Amino acid sequence: MTMNENMTQVSENKADYLDIEQDLRKRHRKKLWCRFTKAIRDYDLIQEGDRIAVCISGGKDSMLMAKLFQELKRHNKFDFDLKFIVMDPGYVPENRQLIENNARRLNIPITVFESDIFESVFQIENSPCYLCARMRRGHLYSKAEELGCNKIALGHHFDDVIETILMGMLYGGQVQTMMPKLHSTNFGEMELIRPMYLIREESIKAWRDYHNLTFLQCACKFTENSVFVNEHENASKRREVKQLIKQLKKVNPFVENNIFKSVENVNLSTVIAYKQNGVKHHFLDGYDQGKGKE
C-alpha cells in the first residue's frame, strides 16, 4: 500500500468511527446510550477514581459496550480510567484478526493478551464450556489486577438477564438472576459490573446491522463437537427459553419487562422458603409468631 493509499484508508476509518459515535448520540440514543447510563446510575456501577477493565470478547455486545464507555468517558462529570482488554484464549488467526480489525474500525485501543485456555480444556469431557468460562473470568480478573484496575465490565444485556431468570425457574427449580454488579470472591477489592444490563439485544443487533458490522460468534473448538452433551443441552435450553419468551410476547407484549421486574418485587412473606448468605429460611420459622397472616 502506498503512502497516499494508507492516508486515504486512515481518513476513511476516521470518518467511519466518527459516524458510529455520532449515531450513539442521535439515532440510537434512546435505546442504547440512555439505557447504558440509566443502568450505571440505578445500580451505582461507577465511582470517581475507578479504573475499569472493559472486557471485549469480540462479539457485538462487548464491542458496543466499549464504544458506550468511550462516550461516557468523553462526557462524564467525574474522572475514571478505562482499559480495553481482549483475551485470546487460542483463537484461529482469522478470528483474532476480525477482532483487531473491528477494534481499528471502531477506534477502540485494545490491549490483547494471550492464554492457552482452549488447549487446557480441550481434553475435558465433563462441562468444558463451564470450565472455559470460569478460566476466562479468572484470567480477565488477573489481567485487570495487573493493569491496576478495580473493576471489570462484562457485556451481558437485558435479554441475558430475563433468560437467566426463566432458566433458573424452569430447569433449576430456583429463583435467581444475573446481578448488575458483584464483588469478586478471589481478587480482593475487585468488582464485576454489567452496564449493558438494561439494553435489549434487538437494539444491539439494530446498531450492528445499521453500520454493517460483522462480529465474532462463539469461536471455540467445542462448538460443533457433539461429544459434549451437557453443553449442547444448556445451549438448547437457552434457545428454548428465547422461543418461549417470543411466544409469550405475542399474547402479552409486556412479558419481558414483567419477568425482569419479578426479581425486583419479591415479597418474602409470600414465599415458602428462601436463602440468604447461604442460610435457608422457611416460612414456618416465624409462622407461630404471627408472621403468616392474610
Side-chain angles (χ1 to χ4, degrees):
M1 182 179 291
T2 67
M3 183 178 294
N4 286 338
E5 289 174 333
N6 186 56
M7 290 177 65
T8 299
Q9 183 65 53
V10 170
S11 179
E12 289 176 351
N13 287 343
K14 183 175 182 180
D16 199 13
Y17 74 71
L18 287 176
D19 178 60
I20 291 172
E21 290 171 358
Q22 185 179 53
D23 177 68
L24 291 176
R25 305 181 201 117
K26 294 184 176 181
R27 182 184 302 271
H28 291 99
R29 177 180 177 85
K30 184 176 180 181
K31 293 184 177 181
L32 296 179
W33 171 250
C34 290
R35 295 193 179 195
F36 181 77
T37 55
K38 178 175 171 58
I40 289 171
R41 289 193 308 271
D42 287 359
Y43 304 118
D44 194 25
L45 299 184
I46 301 176
Q47 288 79 41
E48 185 168 3
D50 278 345
R51 190 175 179 87
I52 304 166
V54 181
C55 302
I56 300 173
S57 67
K60 66 185 190 311
D61 309 325
S62 58
M63 282 290 192
L64 172 59
M65 177 176 66
K67 290 308 297 179
L68 289 167
F69 262 117
Q70 285 183 322
E71 192 70 14
L72 185 69
K73 176 69 174 175
R74 185 177 293 116
H75 298 290
N76 214 45
K77 297 179 181 179
F78 60 84
D79 186 50
F80 64 92
D81 289 325
L82 298 171
K83 292 290 183 181
F84 301 97
I85 64 173
V86 176
M87 183 184 65
D88 181 346
Y91 292 135
V92 296
E94 294 85 355
N95 287 330
R96 174 156 171 171
Q97 189 64 53
L98 177 60
I99 295 174
E100 293 174 344
N101 289 344
N102 280 331
R104 278 192 293 271
R105 181 179 175 187
L106 295 170
N107 194 35
I108 301 170
I110 60 174
T111 297
V112 181
F113 68 101
E114 298 177 353
S115 72
D116 60 353
I117 290 178
F118 284 175
E119 194 64 34
S120 297
V121 302
F122 187 64
Q123 302 300 328
I124 304 297
E125 294 187 6
N126 296 319
S127 300
C129 296
Y130 172 78
L131 179 59
C132 181
R134 296 287 295 178
M135 292 178 69
R136 280 171 178 257
R137 188 73 56 84
H139 278 277
L140 290 171
Y141 272 123
S142 294
K143 187 63 176 181
E145 193 172 60
E146 176 188 319
L147 295 172
C149 298
N150 65 309
K151 292 180 178 177
I152 68 170
L154 302 183
H156 297 114
H157 49 67
F158 181 91
D159 295 67
D160 292 324
V161 177
I162 63 173
E163 288 162 15
T164 298
I165 294 170
L166 280 191
M167 285 181 70
M169 294 175 64
L170 299 178
Y171 300 110
Q174 57 188 340
V175 177
Q176 62 178 16
T177 190
M178 180 182 287
M179 299 298 287
K181 64 179 181 179
L182 291 166
H183 288 292
S184 171
T185 303
N186 302 313
F187 288 86
E189 299 300 317
M190 194 75 71
E191 195 173 4
L192 180 156
I193 61 173
R194 294 184 169 106
M196 305 278 282
Y197 204 77
L198 301 179
I199 296 179
R200 300 299 310 276
E201 186 175 27
E202 64 184 11
S203 301
I204 300 172
K205 289 179 178 178
W207 169 81
R208 175 200 64 192
D209 296 343
Y210 180 77
H211 293 288
N212 296 313
L213 293 163
T214 301
F215 294 112
L216 189 67
Q217 302 295 321
C218 180
C220 74
K221 298 178 181 181
F222 313 113
T223 307
E224 297 179 356
N225 191 335
S226 61
V227 172
F228 305 115
V229 177
N230 291 336
E231 309 306 337
H232 284 284
E233 285 181 354
N234 287 336
S236 177
K237 289 172 184 175
R238 188 165 288 275
R239 284 193 295 270
E240 287 174 10
V241 167
K242 278 181 178 289
Q243 189 61 33
L244 174 61
I245 293 172
K246 185 178 179 180
Q247 292 299 318
L248 291 172
K249 191 177 178 181
K250 293 179 181 178
V251 180
N252 177 7
F254 306 107
V255 70
E256 292 154 311
N257 283 330
N258 287 343
I259 294 170
F260 185 87
K261 289 178 181 178
S262 70
V263 291
E264 290 185 341
N265 298 317
V266 178
N267 185 344
L268 294 182
S269 64
T270 63
V271 298
I272 301 297
Y274 66 94
K275 287 183 179 179
Q276 187 172 34
N277 298 325
V279 178
K280 187 172 182 177
H281 303 269
H282 197 277
F283 88 102
L284 288 177
D285 294 343
Y287 184 79
D288 290 335
Q289 284 71 47
K291 294 183 180 180
K293 295 181 178 179
E294 285 188 304

